[in-house]
């Protein structure tokens, strides 16, 4: 079956006594057992039965199984935000004295997690150009615990060669960990590209309506020791497991993801072309444009669509602010892949806490605006951006 079919026909882990079609929300912290023996077996994982909702909940398991079916993963852990997925994964693979090979082109909080929070616990990092395999290979040493990257960086929109990075990682017996938030996992196979562990902010495409925060750790079972550590240690000790109400909403979001994404990606490509006609817009960056330097590589890795986010450059920061102040339809908000289109100036907001020098090193430019394209009619979006640019 195709992924879009699977997404709406995920069997329940246990049959529902009433034949419910929508998975019930098990708003219960604990579960009762008939005997002390059964309780001991459940706690020690000798039988398949949840005991406490910090580590297992039937509604969350349903979402995890849906994602597992769609991606072909060995195990999936649903956590309560994208950052929980990133932090729990990196904590699980690292330790004092180890180092993470990654780049400066990262989501702001992931960058600060690695360079500040994990650094305080003795986890090192080596920042390199992940589009340059020689540099990556040279950065790896005996203490390197993983290569970590984002598949299309934000806001630079840089794409690294995943097959090449996977080959390097596997030559050194370390996992390749990819944050794939910007292209839905329903559209391509990270596993086929050699990714060992995929992390996703399901707050974005999966949730869609921006109803709730969520994160997914999609484990392909190829990183030694990762599965038992994630399921048996991280969710227990760090307490970031998803809650049942959120899992319910994210399961509904997953069911309609394919439809929403097809429209959003197509609108984004159309807008990328049309925004080039607006004289006040100096440059449009979107890997879906055929003359984008990463276009061919992106197509070979992710298929024909390139996500529902683009960036464009204005003359200066003031022109960016003016355009953002004048949109009437598009929402001035952070977040990505909401049903509504969202606009933001990354340098002064998401990266506002970084110094100018740090921003320069991260290639976060003050002339850049980020647009997340929603489900509105594409002509309405174009008209809104054009009138705002003309102000
Ligand atoms: C939003 C985002 C995150 C963090 O996700 P939250 O759900 O907000 O914690 C991580 N990585 C990328 C690429 C993101 O866009």
């Amino acid at each position: 079956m195709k992924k879009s079919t699977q997404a709406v026909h995920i069997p329940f882990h246990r049959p529902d006594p009433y034949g419910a079609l929508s998975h019930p929300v098990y708003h219960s912290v604990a579960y009762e057992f008939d005997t002390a023996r059964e309780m001991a077996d459940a706690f020690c994982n000798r039988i398949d039965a949840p005991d406490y909702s910090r580590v297992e909940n039937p509604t969350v398991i349903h979402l995890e199984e849906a994602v597992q079916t769609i991606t072909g993963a060995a195990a999936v852990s649903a956590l309560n935000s994208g950052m929980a997925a990133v932090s729990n994964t990196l904590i699980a693979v690292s330790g004092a004295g180890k180092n993470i090979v990654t780049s400066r082109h990262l989501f702001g909080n992931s960058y600060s997690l690695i360079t500040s929070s994990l650094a305080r616990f003795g986890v090192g990092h080596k920042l390199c150009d992940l589009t340059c395999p020689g540099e990556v290979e040279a950065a790896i040493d005996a203490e390197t615990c993983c290569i970590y990257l984002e598949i299309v960086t934000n806001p630079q929109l840089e794409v690294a060669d995943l097959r090449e990075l996977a080959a390097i990682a596997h030559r050194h017996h370390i996992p390749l960990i990819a944050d794939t938030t910007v292209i839905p996992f329903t559209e391509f196979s990270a596993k086929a590209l050699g990714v060992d562990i995929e992390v996703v902010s399901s707050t974005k495409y999966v949730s869609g309506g921006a109803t709730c925060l969520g994160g997914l750790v999609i484990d392909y079972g190829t990183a030694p020791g990762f599965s038992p550590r994630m399921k048996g240690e991280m969710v227990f000790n760090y307490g970031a497991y998803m809650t049942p109400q959120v899992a319910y909403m994210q399961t509904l979001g997953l069911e309609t993801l394919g439809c929403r994404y097809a429209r959003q990606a197509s609108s984004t490509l159309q807008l990328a072309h049309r925004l080039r006609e607006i004289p006040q817009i100096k440059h449009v960056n979107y890997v879906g444009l055929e003359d984008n330097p990463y276009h061919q590589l992106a197509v070979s890795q992710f298929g024909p669509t390139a996500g529902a986010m683009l960036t464009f450059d204005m003359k200066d920061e003031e022109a960016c602010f003016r355009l953002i102040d004048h949109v009437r339809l598009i929402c001035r908000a952070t977040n990505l892949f909401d049903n509504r289109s969202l606009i933001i100036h990354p340098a002064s907001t998401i990266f506002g806490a970084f110094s100018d020098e740090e921003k320069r090193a991260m290639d976060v430019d003050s002339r850049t605006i980020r647009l997340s394209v929603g489900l509105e009619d594409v002509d309405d979006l174009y008209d809104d951006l054009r009138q705002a640019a003309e102000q």
Side-chain angles (χ1 to χ4, degrees):
M1 274 190 290
K2 298 283 195 298
K3 292 173 182 185
S4 54
T5 309
Q6 288 174 332
V8 289
H9 287 283
I10 299 298
F12 290 4
H13 192 71
R14 300 260 170 83
D16 182 74
Y18 299 99
L21 283 175
S22 203
H23 196 288
V25 180
Y26 284 89
H27 252 299
S28 179
V29 168
Y31 308 84
E32 191 179 15
F33 295 92
D34 289 337
T35 65
R37 168 62 52 205
E38 206 186 310
M39 206 168 173
D41 287 344
F43 272 73
C44 299
N45 276 326
R46 288 185 293 265
I47 58 167
D48 172 24
D51 47 67
Y52 192 65
S53 283
R54 174 164 30 78
V55 295
E56 263 190 321
N57 173 283
T59 316
V60 183
I61 290 172
H62 182 63
L63 173 65
E64 292 172 333
E65 290 186 348
V67 176
Q68 195 176 344
T69 304
I70 289 168
T71 57
V76 173
S77 298
L79 305 181
N80 57 27
S81 71
M83 280 318 299
V86 175
S87 59
N88 278 256
T89 298
L90 291 178
I91 292 168
V93 299
S94 67
K98 299 286 180 192
N99 66 70
I100 296 167
V101 168
T102 185
S103 104
R104 283 191 174 78
H105 296 170
L106 291 179
F107 177 70
N109 297 133
S110 300
Y111 181 81
S112 118
L113 167 75
I114 292 169
T115 58
S116 304
S117 312
L118 290 178
R120 287 195 289 110
F121 293 89
V123 180
H125 51 270
K126 298 188 177 186
L127 305 176
C128 56
D129 178 355
L130 294 175
T131 65
C132 177
E135 209 178 294
V136 177
E137 184 123 39
I140 296 173
D141 63 27
E143 299 307 325
T144 301
C145 60
C146 67
I147 300 175
Y148 179 77
L149 85 163
E150 292 168 17
I151 57 166
V152 182
T153 71
N154 164 12
Q156 308 84 6
L157 307 189
E158 170 189 278
V159 181
D161 188 325
L162 292 173
R163 293 182 187 91
E164 204 152 32
L165 291 179
I168 294 171
H170 299 156
R171 219 163 26 244
H172 294 273
H173 310 289
I174 55 173
L176 176 64
I177 305 176
D179 177 334
T180 66
T181 300
V182 293
I183 311 261
F185 52 80
T186 47
E187 295 299 308
F188 75 104
S189 169
K191 181 187 182 182
L193 296 168
V195 171
D196 299 286
I197 303 158
E198 188 175 2
V199 290
V200 177
S201 168
S202 55
T203 311
K204 314 290 170 57
Y205 285 119
V206 176
S207 140
T211 51
C212 50
L213 291 150
L216 299 166
V217 180
I218 304 173
D219 166 15
Y220 291 107
T222 44
F226 183 76
S227 295
R229 178 161 291 171
M230 192 68 217
K231 288 278 179 194
E233 180 185 324
M234 301 307 295
V235 293
F236 281 83
N237 297 352
Y238 288 83
Y241 195 58
M242 191 177 273
T243 52
Q245 184 69 31
V246 166
Y248 174 77
M249 289 189 279
Q250 300 229 333
T251 301
L252 286 184
L254 186 58
E255 291 182 357
T256 59
L257 173 58
C259 286
R260 289 185 282 110
Y261 178 72
R263 182 177 167 98
Q264 285 169 283
S266 141
S267 296
T268 310
L269 181 60
Q270 290 179 59
L271 278 176
H273 281 291
R274 293 173 68 182
L275 291 182
R276 288 172 149 184
E277 297 158 14
I278 298 177
Q280 293 85 353
I281 292 179
K282 304 298 171 204
H283 177 69
V284 178
N285 194 5
Y286 181 56
V287 294
L289 289 170
E290 277 173 25
D291 56 5
N292 183 284
Y294 298 112
H295 181 72
Q296 288 306 332
L297 179 61
V299 169
S300 83
Q301 298 188 146
F302 315 125
T305 64
M309 171 188 74
L310 59 76
T311 66
F312 54 90
D313 294 344
M314 303 296 286
K315 184 169 67 150
D316 51 24
E317 176 169 307
E318 202 190 312
C320 292
F321 275 43
R322 203 158 46 237
L323 184 146
I324 292 171
D325 285 347
H326 284 91
V327 289
R328 295 175 187 150
L329 170 67
I330 298 169
C331 307
R332 285 171 286 274
T334 189
N335 194 19
L336 290 170
F337 319 131
D338 190 331
N339 294 341
R340 285 154 288 265
S341 293
L342 312 175
I343 198 162
I344 194 165
H345 179 251
S348 62
T349 54
I350 302 167
F351 295 93
F354 293 100
S355 69
D356 287 346
E357 197 184 344
E358 285 172 306
K359 281 187 255 195
R360 249 191 315 278
M362 296 162 88
D363 294 311
V364 173
D365 195 310
S366 67
R367 289 167 300 187
T368 303
I369 289 178
R370 185 181 87 184
L371 178 72
S372 169
V373 178
L375 293 170
E376 302 94 338
D377 184 275
V378 68
D379 291 335
D380 289 336
L381 292 173
Y382 176 75
D383 289 347
D384 194 28
L385 288 164
R386 199 197 45 202
Q387 67 77 25
E390 284 168 359
Q391 302 287 330

